[in-house]
Amino acid sequence: MSTIKVAMIVGSSRPTSLNERLARAIEKLALTNLISERIRIDDLSFSDSDLEKAPPPEVVRIKADVARNAAALFVMPEFNRSIPAMLKNAIDIGSRSMADNFWRDMPGAMTGTSPGAIGTAAGQQHLRQVLSVLGANALPGEAYVGFSSPTLIDPEGTVENEATRAFIKARVKAPKPRLNPDWSLAHTLFHNALVGAFENA
């Protein structure tokens, strides 16, 4: 069984955030051939044209870190029905210059959690719109967790609810690498793993 690497990008900088818990749960419950690499984004400068001319080390780092992965998974909170500023900044940096846009052709999935009734659905819709403009293969549908119980996922990423744990684990499968002409497996991975994966959470 071949190993597939996925860039996991968490849109919250707080180590105890609900979305950090969700990211840890996904890492724990993924199949052994799906290897996630955490991508650091909290130390990036604000995106502007000067970064293209003389990119600092952290910009060089994130470009290399994301580019070596076959797909991307965004785990995000929602701020004012939109994308967190830190995450949007990382996406903008990765898209510049246009010739070096590492989002192009990359399969991308998204999920997120919130105590609110609609989770992060509106923010995910905005993220999908941005990724589509950049040429990423963003998969359809919203996949979010309504964090109705404070013990649903503990700080270490352990899912206390047996049904929720089994539901996530059954759906986290390995994608095909980007640029493969057959997108069916990548689509199946992220659609099954995330779209509706937390409906019973």
Side-chain angles (χ1 to χ4, degrees), residues 16-162:
T16 59
S17 74
L18 299 183
N19 283 277
E20 176 60 32
R21 294 189 194 186
L22 176 57
R24 291 176 183 176
I26 293 171
E27 289 172 331
K28 284 188 173 185
L29 297 173
L31 297 180
T32 55
N33 66 318
L34 184 65
I35 306 300
S36 62
E37 177 182 1
R38 288 296 192 98
I39 306 299
R40 185 178 181 184
I41 63 174
D42 65 346
D43 63 339
L44 298 174
S45 304
F46 284 113
S47 178
D48 61 39
S49 58
D50 288 343
L51 293 185
E52 298 176 44
K53 300 171 185 176
E58 63 270 17
V59 170
V60 175
R61 183 203 68 223
I62 190 175
K63 286 178 175 287
D65 288 351
V66 175
R68 65 171 167 256
N69 285 276
L73 171 59
F74 300 90
V75 184
M76 56 172 284
E78 178 180 296
F79 293 169
N80 298 320
R81 298 291 190 264
S82 187
I83 307 167
M86 182 177 70
L87 177 57
K88 180 59 165 59
N89 185 55
I91 293 171
D92 291 343
I93 285 175
S95 71
R96 306 293 296 181
S97 67
M98 292 183 66
D100 297 325
N101 172 19
F102 59 57
W103 304 116
R104 186 180 295 112
D105 296 324
M106 177 173 274
M110 58 200 73
T111 187
T113 184
S114 165
I118 65 169
T120 60
Q124 289 183 46
Q125 289 175 358
H126 193 188
L127 175 58
R128 183 172 298 104
Q129 180 184 27
V130 171
L131 293 177
S132 66
V133 169
L134 299 179
N137 289 281
L139 301 182
E142 287 78 49
Y144 58 84
V145 178
F147 220 99
S148 55
S149 168
T151 61
L152 180 66
I153 305 175
D154 74 12
E156 301 305 315
T158 300
V159 181
E160 300 294 344
N161 184 284
E162 176 62 34

